[in-house]
Amino acid sequence: MSGEQIGQPESPLPYLSPELTGERLLNGANFASAGIGILNDTGIQFLNIIRLFRQLHCFEEYQHRVSALIGVQNTKQLVNKALVLITVGGNDFVNNYYLVPFSARSRQYPLPEYVKYLISEYKKQLKRLYELGARQVLVTGTGPLGCVPAELAMRGTDGECSAELQRAAALYNPQLVQMLQELNREIGETIFIGANTQQMHMDFVSDPQAYGFVTSKIACCGQGPYNGLGLCTALSNLCPNRDLYAFWDPFHPSEKANRIIVQQIMRGSTKYMNPMNLSTVLALDQSMT
């Protein structure tokens, strides 16, 4: 969807796709893996996930493959000019700290210390990304963790967001922006752009009707209270019109909601984007070429 907005004809293929060969490598690659976090112990309940350190290794390997096609210098330029999107952090709460009562991490750290630890570990990974040649990196925060249908079903009371998970998001997101500003200062140029996805989500969570949704509490696809339990499968309840729902499944925004988020990333004010929106980044990039 963000690819559409920046005029990319097709989404980058998954890095491990057998189809990602030859010229298609020059269109970029998707290194993402569902369920991972900043920490290696996040998502241990999932099998075969590709953790963040491994994704960075794949990014390095990808550059070697591109170099074989177009040479080292051209590859360096290609990577420097590429837009890198990284979305990680929410699972470190949902699938780690709060996965079970008295989880190992929650016994190890009180929440404010855990957030500081996460941010410091994330900073190391982002520095590595910079070392690997990334020069335009869009970093999204978490959404409103306590307000997704899954948390309304499991932790919320009377349809209210889970206060504890909202507290986690409220601690994490401002510290993330602060850390990105620090990194940019240390490097001496604006490499990392922060997207306040928590605020973007909260806009339609708190006033879904203003965005054309009938609800931001019930997922389009799921089961149980708020359709917030389990995964979206063939056996789930399915809404007749997904465009009327802010959430597609217990955790993820619907396509229409994602389009609203992408619009804010592209053109949003500093309330949503720090230090500038993506249109400004791309315009600056154009003026320098």
Side-chain angles (χ1 to χ4, degrees), residues 123 126-127 130 134-139 176-194 274-276 281:
K123 188 176 181 182
L126 292 175
K127 270 186 174 166
Y130 173 76
R135 293 295 178 269
Q136 295 184 127
V137 185
L138 180 60
V139 183
L176 175 64
V177 170
Q178 212 176 338
M179 179 265 278
L180 298 177
Q181 289 170 337
E182 268 169 36
L183 262 177
N184 286 334
R185 272 198 304 273
E186 286 167 21
I187 293 164
E189 59 180 309
T190 302
I191 302 292
F192 298 97
I193 308 288
N274 189 291
M276 66 188 93
V281 174

Side-chain angles (χ1 to χ4, degrees), residues 134-204:
R135 293 295 178 269
Q136 295 184 127
V137 185
L138 180 60
V139 183
T140 65
T142 70
L145 296 172
C147 300
V148 299
E151 299 307 335
L152 296 183
M154 292 187 290
R155 298 173 206 271
T157 318
D158 300 327
E160 294 300 310
C161 301
S162 156
E164 187 57 18
L165 274 155
Q166 285 300 87
R167 180 172 163 244
L171 283 170
Y172 174 84
N173 287 303
Q175 288 185 48
L176 175 64
V177 170
Q178 212 176 338
M179 179 265 278
L180 298 177
Q181 289 170 337
E182 268 169 36
L183 262 177
N184 286 334
R185 272 198 304 273
E186 286 167 21
I187 293 164
E189 59 180 309
T190 302
I191 302 292
F192 298 97
I193 308 288
N196 186 346
T197 34
Q198 184 187 19
Q199 186 57 54
M200 294 172 194
H201 278 75
M202 274 317 288
D203 287 351
F204 51 74

Side-chain angles (χ1 to χ4, degrees), residues 59 63 79-82 84 126 128-137 187 191-192:
F59 182 47
Q63 294 182 46
V79 172
N80 284 174
K81 287 182 175 302
V84 178
L126 292 175
R128 180 74 189 124
L129 194 54
Y130 173 76
E131 285 162 12
L132 290 171
R135 293 295 178 269
Q136 295 184 127
V137 185
I187 293 164
I191 302 292
F192 298 97

